Amino acid sequence: MLLNFTKMHGLGNDFMVVDGITQRVRLTTEQISELSDRHTGIGFDQLLLVEPPRHPDMDFRYRIFNADGSEVENCGNGARCFARFVRDKQLTRKRTLNVETAGGPLTLIVTQNQQVRVDMGSPRFAPDSLPFIADDDALVHTLALPTETAGLTQVDVSIVSMGNPHAVLLVDDVEQAPVEALGPVLESHERFPRRVNVGFMQIKNRSRIDLRVFERGTGETRACGTGACAAVASGIRRGLLDTRTKVRLPGGTLTIEWSGHPDQSLFMTGPVATVFEGRIELE
């Protein structure tokens, strides 16, 4: 099977984007994992699959697969690449797109300067929305670590669902944060039954943060859109950040806006880029 694809990235968070509308696509978990290998495959953080919508009020269905082949609910950087992809491929001429995902519907807006603004919906903090095992909702939860890691036996996290689960830690210096050591331990912590994305946030001032994210099923990436949204949402909820905050990630900067009201949407704006077009033969 010959498969056409496009390699894209949002702030260095890179994707293999596949049109499942004009070509037939059937990929196994093993094939996706092999394609993600940066030495023997295409190399990517996630694979994005464009499909026809299942509901008449949606424009497209958007599916996301991690590098290990597991399907996940949401990806903010991927959503922005998705919006540019369907317009570049002339699958639509709309600038405002209603998109169906496993994490719920998204509204994507392509701006005049070709950035993409995403209505990410409302952040959710209830433990069962991630899910997260806890007796009640709280601004901060203390997690006991199974073994001492980076000199720590426990950590304090804020939990947020942006259609996918996030745990956010405050750190004094994001460059020195123990992402490689602590990320995998928290990703698979027993209190997160479906695993979790882990954000390490340094607050520079009330309208700017630095952030690194360890993504479940992938590892640390250069940028994570939903991670940026979750970090800012947790900071606003705790009274630490303003309603419009710049998030500097290793790959670049995103702008996150949220009023702080639980029934109002959070918005993310940032750039995307196409790297190359390709075709690969699959067995």
Side-chain angles (χ1 to χ4, degrees):
M1 178 178 71
L2 284 174
L3 184 67
N4 295 307
F5 68 91
T6 301
K7 183 70 183 288
M8 303 184 74
H9 77 88
L11 303 184
N13 187 191
D14 64 335
F15 307 96
M16 177 180 177
V17 190
V18 179
D19 174 3
I21 295 178
T22 63
Q23 62 182 344
R24 186 179 180 185
V25 180
R26 296 180 65 182
L27 292 170
T28 66
T29 298
E30 291 75 18
Q31 285 175 317
I32 294 171
S33 180
E34 290 170 2
L35 288 169
S36 75
D37 191 290
R38 297 186 185 278
H39 300 287
T40 59
I42 303 300
F44 53 80
D45 294 322
Q46 279 98 20
L47 183 144
L48 311 180
L49 181 58
V50 182
E51 293 185 342
R54 295 177 299 177
H55 303 287
D57 54 344
M58 295 286 110
D59 296 306
F60 295 98
R61 184 184 184 200
Y62 156 50
R63 299 177 69 189
I64 309 121
F65 298 87
N66 278 337
D68 64 0
S70 59
E71 186 168 4
V72 294
E73 304 92 339
N74 207 350
C75 174
N77 286 320
R80 300 200 320 278
C81 288
F82 178 98
R84 280 285 300 277
F85 176 85
V86 295
R87 281 180 52 82
D88 291 348
K89 291 298 182 182
Q90 299 183 347
L91 297 174
T92 184
R93 292 187 176 182
K94 294 181 178 180
R95 285 192 175 274
T96 300
L97 305 169
N98 294 310
V99 179
E100 169 189 345
T101 77
L106 290 179
T107 299
L108 317 176
I109 303 167
V110 181
T111 67
Q112 293 295 331
N113 64 357
Q114 297 305 304
Q115 291 212 346
V116 180
R117 188 170 190 256
V118 185
D119 180 342
M120 297 294 294
S122 301
R124 291 175 289 167
F125 304 97
D128 61 358
S129 68
L130 279 84
F132 173 69
I133 298 172
D135 293 332
D136 54 19
D137 187 8
L139 292 178
V140 176
H141 297 268
T142 299
L143 297 181
L145 302 180
T147 59
E148 182 175 310
T149 306
L152 301 171
T153 58
Q154 64 182 33
V155 294
D156 292 333
V157 301
S158 297
I159 61 165
V160 188
S161 172
M162 293 302 310
N164 58 351
H166 291 268
V168 182
L169 294 77
L170 286 178
V171 297
D172 294 329
D173 183 350
V174 74
E175 297 296 332
Q176 300 301 317
V179 177
E180 292 184 0
L182 201 52
V185 173
L186 293 178
E187 176 198 9
S188 58
H189 195 281
E190 63 182 4
R191 292 179 68 183
F192 296 99
R194 297 180 187 172
R195 299 187 296 168
V196 72
N197 303 287
V198 187
F200 297 78
M201 174 173 65
Q202 178 184 356
I203 296 179
K204 308 294 285 189
N205 56 52
R206 289 191 60 85
S207 60
R208 180 190 160 197
I209 66 170
D210 288 354
L211 181 70
R212 292 169 65 187
V213 181
F214 189 95
E215 294 193 43
R216 60 176 177 169
T218 298
E220 185 178 3
T221 58
R222 289 185 55 79
C224 176
T226 56
C229 295
V232 173
S234 70
I236 291 173
R237 189 184 189 218
R238 294 174 64 177
L240 304 174
L241 296 174
D242 291 339
T243 57
R244 188 176 191 272
T245 299
K246 296 282 189 180
V247 181
R248 189 178 72 171
L249 299 126
T253 300
L254 294 170
T255 301
I256 309 298
E257 301 165 87
W258 183 47
S259 68
H261 295 294
D263 59 345
Q264 293 187 357
S265 291
L266 178 150
F267 292 89
M268 172 188 63
T269 304
V272 298
T274 297
V275 183
F276 63 85
E277 305 281 347
R279 176 183 294 179
I280 189 167
E281 184 173 0
L282 300 175
E283 295 182 2

